[in-house]
Amino acid sequence: MVQHLRSNTTLYNGVQMPWLGIGVFKVEDGDDLVNAVTTAIQHGYRSIDTAAIYQNETSVGQAINACIQNGAVTREELFITSKVWNADLGYESTLAAYEASLNRLGLPYLDLYLIHWPVEGKYKEAWRALETLYKEGKVKAIGVSNFQTHHLQDLMREADIKPMVNQVELHPYLTQQELQQFCGEHNIQLEAWSPLMQGQLLNHPVLQDIAQGHNKSVAQVIIRWDLQRGIVTIPKSTKQHRIIENAAVFDFALTAEEMARIDSLNQNFRVGPDPDNFDF
Ligand SMILES: NC(=O)c1ccc[n+]([C@@H]2O[C@H](COP(=O)([O-])OP(=O)(O)OC[C@H]3O[C@@H](n4cnc5c(N)ncnc54)[C@H](OP(=O)(O)O)[C@@H]3O)[C@@H](O)[C@H]2O)c1
């Protein structure tokens, strides 16, 4: 069972990845982001999820490096994820994109590098590049994002190394049970993005009812539901009190009945693009 903010899942290659991290989508480079990442690290977060397309790797790296320099944390204790954007999918271009992300972050390596979206006809070449980075020891783990089961099957038919992580949209309206089953069978760690459905589920009566019973917030209940399902998650907040709140999920447990009630909210509803029908 996941016991605290430093609890890790072990990826199939042995790398330790925190169950809970912080995401930074839609936060611009600048003081607010530096402060949010610094606050998260100071309050015990060790995993930070960014991407080249977020155009905020510079501030994320600034905060991380300041925390390392002032002794709050070591690089080895942190777990930093970034993602190669669609325009850079290709063998050489993905290798170059990785170096560019490292430069912006000011880091010597990443813990996890992901293919951001399964662009048809492009992701296999990009995956070869991720395999090269991994084999050369330049990144600790490699994975994908927004891959459906058929994308994973297609990739794994030719891959030398299967993905260690698949990061997908996942929340009570999109519970991804079948994808979780498939990833579990292949030892691919499932990770939830937009776990809070970008803040749009916080008034849901069923979730509020469960939250009241535990004297917790709806956000905390959803995060706890992810963890109890064995899903890594990365809720985003730039507010100090919410960064702290979202990590205070280790002092209560949902019952099997409560877990089932949340599971039953599924509507296969997406706030983000459909991985089988996107045009970017
Ligand atoms: N791989 C992909 O394609 C992909 C796509 C989308 C996102 N992601 C990753 O997943 C991370 C999380 O997803 P997300 O940012 O889309 O959405 P999210 O984490 O589901 O929700 C974030 C929203 O909820 C609010 N919030 C956070 N904690 C709260 C709390 N305790 N109470 C009330 N409101 C709260 C935040 O506002 P405040 O900031 O004002 O607190 C923000 O508006 C992203 O940051 C990114 O790292 C990946």
Side-chain angles (χ1 to χ4, degrees):
M1 181 41 67
V2 186
Q3 284 168 336
H4 48 76
L5 190 47
R6 312 274 172 87
S7 296
N8 296 319
T9 175
T10 304
L11 304 180
Y12 79 75
N13 65 339
V15 165
Q16 302 279 303
M17 176 177 190
W19 285 106
L20 181 57
I22 186 166
V24 297
F25 182 39
K26 291 187 182 164
V27 193
E28 289 178 10
D29 256 336
D31 288 349
D32 282 355
L33 179 53
V34 173
N35 290 339
V37 173
T38 305
T39 298
I41 292 173
Q42 283 169 346
H43 286 89
Y45 285 77
R46 294 294 173 259
S47 171
I48 299 153
D49 181 87
T50 184
I53 193 68
Y54 302 169
Q55 297 187 314
N56 61 15
E57 291 171 309
T58 303
S59 290
V60 170
Q62 193 184 322
I64 291 169
N65 281 307
C67 287
I68 293 172
Q69 272 151 30
N70 70 22
V73 76
T74 64
R75 171 68 190 92
E76 294 70 33
E77 288 170 324
L78 293 170
F79 190 97
I80 311 302
T81 302
S82 193
K83 316 181 190 91
V84 52
W85 185 242
N86 301 352
D88 291 321
L89 294 181
Y91 186 76
E92 294 297 337
S93 49
T94 296
L95 293 178
Y98 183 69
E99 291 303 323
S101 278
L102 288 185
N103 284 337
R104 285 188 294 268
L105 284 157
L107 295 174
Y109 68 91
L110 292 184
D111 297 279
L112 180 63
Y113 198 45
L114 304 176
I115 293 180
H116 207 146
W117 284 89
V119 180
E120 220 49 65
K122 287 195 168 178
Y123 59 75
K124 288 186 187 171
E125 278 301 285
W127 186 252
R128 277 210 308 122
L130 264 60
E131 289 179 331
T132 297
L133 292 169
Y134 180 71
K135 286 175 189 168
E136 290 179 351
K138 292 184 173 161
V139 61
K140 303 285 180 198
I142 52 175
V144 294
S145 179
N146 300 302
F147 274 47
Q148 310 263 54
T149 296
H150 70 90
H151 296 120
L152 290 169
Q153 286 169 324
D154 182 45
L155 186 72
M156 289 193 297
R157 261 195 291 277
E158 289 164 44
D160 280 350
I161 302 170
K162 66 181 177 182
M164 286 133 208
V165 172
N166 185 19
Q167 183 189 109
V168 298
E169 182 178 344
L170 193 156
H171 43 67
Y173 276 4
L174 181 67
T175 54
Q176 301 271 28
Q177 305 278 1
E178 285 163 24
L179 186 60
Q180 183 177 20
Q181 170 85 20
F182 181 85
C183 287
E185 285 163 7
H186 293 272
N187 269 320
I188 299 168
Q189 176 63 55
L190 196 60
E191 179 177 12
W193 64 253
S194 293
L196 308 177
M197 217 177 94
Q198 296 179 349
Q200 296 171 43
L201 279 175
L202 303 179
N203 294 322
H204 194 287
V206 170
L207 297 171
Q208 281 184 333
D209 183 46
I210 295 171
Q212 275 159 18
H214 290 279
N215 209 10
K216 287 286 178 183
S217 69
V218 167
Q220 289 169 323
V221 164
I222 296 174
I223 294 164
R224 183 76 205 176
W225 169 75
D226 283 317
L227 300 178
Q228 287 187 214
R229 284 182 65 192
I231 294 168
V232 167
T233 190
I234 43 168
K236 171 260 170 186
S237 180
T238 50
K239 314 273 186 313
Q240 175 168 333
H241 68 284
R242 288 175 176 168
I243 291 170
I244 295 168
E245 175 187 326
N246 292 346
V249 293
F250 302 102
D251 56 355
F252 77 112
L254 299 169
T255 64
E257 194 227 330
E258 288 168 333
M259 292 293 290
R261 272 181 89 193
I262 303 174
D263 291 343
S264 72
L265 300 179
N266 183 45
Q267 301 182 5
N268 293 326
F269 172 83
R270 294 179 185 276
V271 278
D274 181 346
D276 283 325
N277 187 19
F278 63 98
D279 59 359
F280 50 87

